[in-house]
Amino acid sequence: MACIVKQKVGNNTYLYESTSYRNSEGKPRNKRCLIGKINRETGDPVY
């Protein structure tokens, strides 16, 4: 399952696509891929 995750780093807020899966031991893990960030002035996403 994939979802969009917001993460604040310093003064910027970045957007990631997060994909969840289970590893070979059966433990839950996720992979994140950077897809853009939030414009601080307008609040709109910039991809």
Side-chain angles (χ1 to χ4, degrees), residues 23 28 44:
N23 65 8
D44 295 332

Side-chain angles (χ1 to χ4, degrees), residues 4 6 8 11-14 16-20 25 28-31 34-35 38 42-47:
I4 304 296
K6 292 182 188 177
K8 186 166 177 132
N11 292 332
N12 297 316
T13 302
Y14 294 97
Y16 293 91
E17 180 181 19
S18 177
T19 305
S20 300
E25 298 172 358
R29 300 283 183 218
N30 63 12
K31 289 185 181 181
L34 179 65
I35 58 173
I38 301 290
T42 63
D44 295 332
V46 178
Y47 296 102

Side-chain angles (χ1 to χ4, degrees), residues 21-29:
Y21 67 97
R22 291 195 178 262
N23 65 8
S24 60
E25 298 172 358
K27 295 183 178 181
R29 300 283 183 218

